[in-house]
Amino acid sequence: MPSCTARCSTTDHITTARLALAQLPKRYRRGRRTLIHTDSAGGTHDFVSWLVRRGRWLSYSVGMTVTEAIHEHVWTMTDVDGYRHFSRKSGR
C-alpha cells in the first residue's frame, strides 16, 4: 500500500486491495482462501462491505489496539445485536 502519511480513505483501501488482488493468480482473487488484513484505519463499514460483496467472498481480518477504556467498556455490555456477552458480575 502506498504510504499514507495523511489519513487514507476507504477509496484508497479499496484501490489498494484491487491492485493486490490483480497480482494474484485468478483462482485466488475470490474465495475464502484469500485473506485481506487491515488495521483499524481500514476497518470502515464501506471497506468491509466491499470485501464481503456477493461474489467476492474474501476472508478478512481487521485489527485494532484494545485500550484499557475499550476493554472496560466491553465488560459493561450484556446484549448487543442479539448476542449475549459474558460479564464479570454473572460469572459466565
Side-chain angles (χ1 to χ4, degrees):
M1 179 168 183
S3 175
C4 292
T5 53
R7 190 173 175 170
C8 290
S9 70
T10 298
T11 303
D12 295 327
H13 287 95
I14 291 171
T15 299
T16 302
R18 281 185 174 142
L19 291 170
L21 289 169
Q23 295 179 52
L24 295 174
K26 194 169 186 173
R27 69 181 181 272
Y28 294 112
R29 293 180 192 170
R30 296 173 191 252
R32 297 286 181 210
R33 293 182 294 176
T34 301
L35 172 68
I36 303 286
H37 174 77
T38 185
D39 61 11
S40 58
T44 63
H45 288 280
D46 290 339
F47 182 54
V48 173
S49 293
W50 180 85
L51 290 171
V52 300
R53 186 178 304 157
R54 185 181 178 111
R56 192 166 286 125
W57 298 299
L58 296 165
S59 293
Y60 65 92
S61 169
V62 178
M64 65 179 275
T65 302
V66 177
T67 64
E68 186 63 29
I70 293 170
H71 181 79
E72 288 301 317
H73 180 72
V74 168
W75 281 115
T76 67
M77 299 168 64
T78 56
D79 191 20
V80 176
D81 296 332
Y83 291 96
R84 186 79 180 153
H85 293 273
F86 297 103
S87 70
R88 292 179 183 166
K89 293 176 185 173
S90 70
R92 299 182 297 167

